[in-house]
Amino acid sequence: MNVIDKVIKKIEKEKLVENNDRIVLGCSGGPDSIFLLEVFLKIRKKYNLTLALAHINHLYRGEFALRDETHVRKIGKKYNIPVFVRKKSMENLAKDKKITLEEAGREIRYSFFDEVLEKIDGNKVALAHNLDDQVETFLFRMMRGTSLEGLEGIANIRGKFIRPINEVYKKDVLNYLDTNNISYMLDHTNFENEYTRNSIRLDLIPFIEKRYNPKFKEKIFNLMEEIKEVNNFIEIDYDEYIDGNKLNGKIVLSENPYVQKKIINKFLNLNNIQASRRKIENIFELLTTSGSKKIKLDKDYTLLKEYDRIIIVKNKTQEKEIETITLKIPGEIIFGNYIISANLIGNKDQLDKNSFITTLKREDELLIRSRKVGDRIKLKGLDYPKKVKDIMINSKIPKFERENIPIILHNNEIVWIVGIKKSEKYISEDGKGTVVLNVRRKEC
């Protein structure tokens, strides 16, 4: 069985490709991406595939970058496959965002893949990572620090991304292309060891193979497979611990340390954050500290601890301010992530368990805003108005959420801390008030 047939067998066994898929192939013009294209050309008719090539010119290698782009365009024309090209400088992006060239390149690639997927109404992106890439990733992550999940290597399939050739050695890719006289381009920067991954490929692995074990890459791959088997053996119901961007710290801490780390790793992955040992340790540190606390996870996300929960929020969301809005009865407005309506009671269909039947009247004007320092509300059974801040603390509302909860006022008096407490003054005792307030979340 030749190497192409081996990949096709893997595609069939793991159902990486299905009938009528519309697939974007990342194509640099190098040997791996050309080999990947050869695989898809073999199965295009069988699966009735729609293919598109996505090529990125990083404006980094001058005439060589233009040469690669031209080569990919010729291939697309030869096989009647549309080619999409993005020209964007890694160096400029890295400088602007203060990140490494490797991180900048990754950001450019993945945003471009999404763009091309949308243009062709695609459903998958095929990437040309090979088995040598797997070993390099294993060593890179191990040296940088990661979890056992991180040492599984590059997954065959993750969401919309598929990697059909990630169990094929580079030497087998080159041998197939050379034997069949299939042209490809070589990127000379892959032979410069100033980058960590290149140094692993050019210096570390050859040294170990020569000095200690010529089958080093094979041994590493076998270890990765065993790690994957162990991780799959330990079944965890993650829904018990994770709710979107929230992690239930109290339940997590009841587990043993290994399971705790698996849950935290999954929590990061579900929120599209690349896990690392440092990030996992940061979350574990938050779980074991008392009180409220926040730490910056990276340039995009912050971790917040409120009571027994860990919450991941985008940094930019913390800077967002919600304006004050006026609502005249009857009417409806949008406030942040809430839709607030004030209607005259016409029938029981307008009511649900969250409705607030009030003593308000037609033409009354309401003010909706975030809480302010010193806000108080008169509650039933109390002789004095209670601080809104104390109510939110007692209700265990996370600090970062408190500013987003609507406060509804009439004549400068608080009518309702939405979803939390109602003012005694505006509660219709007999349930026959003329105005009902309803609040629902916007659909995201």
Side-chain angles (χ1 to χ4, degrees):
M1 181 184 296
N2 67 36
V3 66
I4 285 274
D5 292 334
K6 176 183 175 182
V7 175
I8 293 174
K9 184 177 180 181
K10 172 185 172 178
I11 287 173
E12 292 173 347
K13 179 182 177 182
E14 301 189 15
K15 297 181 180 178
L16 300 183
V17 172
E18 297 175 307
N19 290 333
N20 304 312
D21 274 345
R22 303 177 67 84
I23 304 175
V24 175
L25 278 68
C27 189
S28 67
D32 298 321
S33 61
I34 295 300
F35 177 77
L36 179 66
L37 174 59
E38 287 293 314
V39 172
F40 278 93
L41 290 173
K42 297 281 188 184
I43 63 175
R44 176 163 63 164
K45 185 175 180 180
K46 176 181 178 181
Y47 288 96
N48 190 33
L49 302 178
T50 298
L51 303 177
L53 303 182
H55 177 82
I56 299 169
N57 180 342
H58 288 294
L59 305 174
Y60 183 62
R61 297 178 296 118
E63 63 184 52
F64 293 104
L66 182 59
R67 176 205 66 180
D68 295 352
E69 178 187 327
T70 301
H71 184 63
V72 173
R73 289 189 186 277
K74 286 181 179 178
I75 291 173
K77 185 175 181 180
K78 177 180 178 180
Y79 294 111
N80 194 29
I81 300 174
V83 176
F84 297 86
V85 175
R86 168 175 286 179
K87 297 183 179 182
K88 190 164 184 177
S89 170
M90 283 193 306
E91 291 179 300
N92 291 343
L93 183 64
K95 184 178 179 181
D96 292 343
K97 293 200 168 187
K98 295 181 173 58
I99 56 179
T100 67
L101 284 175
E102 291 170 295
E103 290 170 330
R106 177 183 173 85
E107 182 173 324
I108 292 170
R109 286 194 301 275
Y110 283 87
S111 64
F112 184 49
F113 293 148
D114 287 339
E115 181 182 310
V116 178
L117 268 177
E118 186 174 348
K119 286 181 178 178
I120 72 163
D121 192 25
N123 63 316
K124 290 177 182 174
V125 177
L127 302 177
H129 294 105
N130 60 44
L131 187 49
D132 292 68
D133 295 324
Q134 292 261 51
V135 174
E136 291 162 21
T137 298
F138 177 93
L139 295 171
F140 180 77
R141 290 177 177 174
M142 183 178 67
M143 288 186 288
R144 190 179 59 175
T146 187
S147 64
L148 277 184
E149 280 78 6
L151 294 179
E152 286 185 4
I154 307 168
N156 294 336
I157 181 167
R158 178 168 291 166
K160 61 195 170 191
F161 296 101
I162 59 173
R163 298 173 175 85
I165 70 168
N166 68 353
E167 294 178 12
V168 179
Y169 285 110
K170 182 81 166 192
K171 62 181 177 61
D172 294 329
V173 167
L174 293 172
N175 181 61
Y176 178 87
L177 296 176
D178 293 341
T179 300
N180 291 278
N181 296 313
I182 299 170
S183 62
Y184 54 86
M185 299 293 106
L186 289 176
D187 180 353
H188 70 271
T189 62
N190 287 332
F191 302 97
E192 298 172 357
N193 65 1
E194 60 183 283
Y195 304 117
T196 304
R197 285 182 181 274
N198 283 10
S199 180
I200 291 172
R201 180 189 313 122
L202 300 173
D203 301 327
L204 180 61
I205 293 176
F207 174 77
I208 295 175
E209 287 178 327
K210 183 178 179 180
R211 183 78 177 265
Y212 299 104
N213 190 339
K215 293 186 177 181
F216 174 66
K217 285 186 285 193
E218 179 183 332
K219 301 302 180 184
I220 290 294
F221 180 69
N222 290 339
L223 175 59
M224 290 162 62
E225 290 296 293
E226 287 189 21
I227 290 173
K228 191 181 297 183
E229 289 172 3
V230 170
N231 287 334
N232 290 336
F233 177 75
I234 302 174
E235 295 184 3
I236 298 174
D237 182 6
Y238 291 104
D239 290 341
E240 184 178 347
Y241 312 90
I242 301 169
D243 179 15
N245 69 330
K246 300 178 181 65
L247 180 69
N248 190 320
K250 187 174 182 179
I251 303 179
V252 172
L253 288 176
S254 68
E255 303 292 351
N256 71 58
Y258 177 68
V259 173
Q260 289 173 1
K261 291 172 184 175
K262 281 183 69 69
I263 294 168
I264 293 171
N265 185 78
K266 184 71 171 181
F267 177 53
L268 292 171
N269 288 336
L270 288 174
N271 284 278
N272 297 314
I273 298 172
Q274 187 171 358
S276 69
R277 184 168 298 278
R278 179 186 63 80
K279 292 174 184 175
I280 291 173
E281 288 175 351
N282 282 343
I283 292 179
F284 187 75
E285 180 184 347
L286 282 183
L287 288 174
T288 54
T289 57
S290 59
S292 298
K293 191 176 180 182
K294 70 177 179 179
I295 59 173
K296 191 172 181 181
L297 190 62
D298 54 31
K299 62 184 177 65
D300 296 317
Y301 295 95
T302 292
L303 289 174
L304 303 175
K305 180 176 186 290
E306 296 288 347
Y307 305 104
D308 294 325
R309 294 192 300 172
I310 298 290
I311 304 105
I312 292 176
V313 296
K314 285 188 176 181
N315 293 332
K316 62 181 181 180
T317 61
Q318 296 176 11
E319 301 168 0
K320 183 179 179 182
E321 292 185 2
I322 301 175
E323 61 183 334
T324 299
I325 299 176
T326 299
L327 171 60
K328 191 171 184 178
I329 301 173
E332 181 176 278
I333 57 94
I334 294 176
F335 180 88
N337 292 322
Y338 296 85
I339 299 174
I340 301 172
S341 63
N343 295 304
L344 304 176
I345 297 178
N347 56 61
K348 295 297 182 182
D349 293 338
Q350 293 177 310
L351 306 177
D352 60 37
K353 64 179 182 179
N354 298 315
S355 297
F356 179 10
I357 301 174
T358 74
T359 58
L360 293 165
K361 304 290 190 246
R362 178 194 285 270
E363 302 296 323
D364 278 348
E365 201 169 82
L366 303 176
L367 193 69
I368 296 92
R369 61 165 171 79
S370 301
R371 72 185 181 103
K372 291 183 178 180
V373 175
D375 273 347
R376 285 176 164 78
I377 183 172
K378 184 67 172 67
L379 301 179
K380 190 173 182 179
L382 292 181
D383 296 329
Y384 56 91
K386 188 162 185 178
K387 287 183 180 179
V388 170
K389 177 182 177 181
D390 292 342
I391 292 171
M392 289 189 172
I393 291 173
N394 293 338
S395 300
K396 294 192 174 181
I397 306 298
K399 188 181 294 184
F400 83 99
E401 287 184 358
R402 294 172 195 167
E403 307 305 320
N404 299 325
I405 293 175
I407 304 289
I408 300 178
L409 302 97
H410 176 246
N411 291 336
N412 293 320
E413 291 187 78
I414 295 178
V415 177
W416 191 13
I417 307 171
V418 169
I420 303 175
K421 292 293 183 181
K422 302 169 183 176
S423 168
E424 177 185 41
K425 178 177 178 180
Y426 291 93
I427 295 174
S428 176
E429 295 293 344
D430 57 6
K432 296 180 180 179
T434 57
V435 173
V436 59
L437 300 179
N438 284 304
V439 179
R440 66 184 188 277
R441 287 273 191 173
K442 284 170 57 179
E443 294 183 6
C444 299

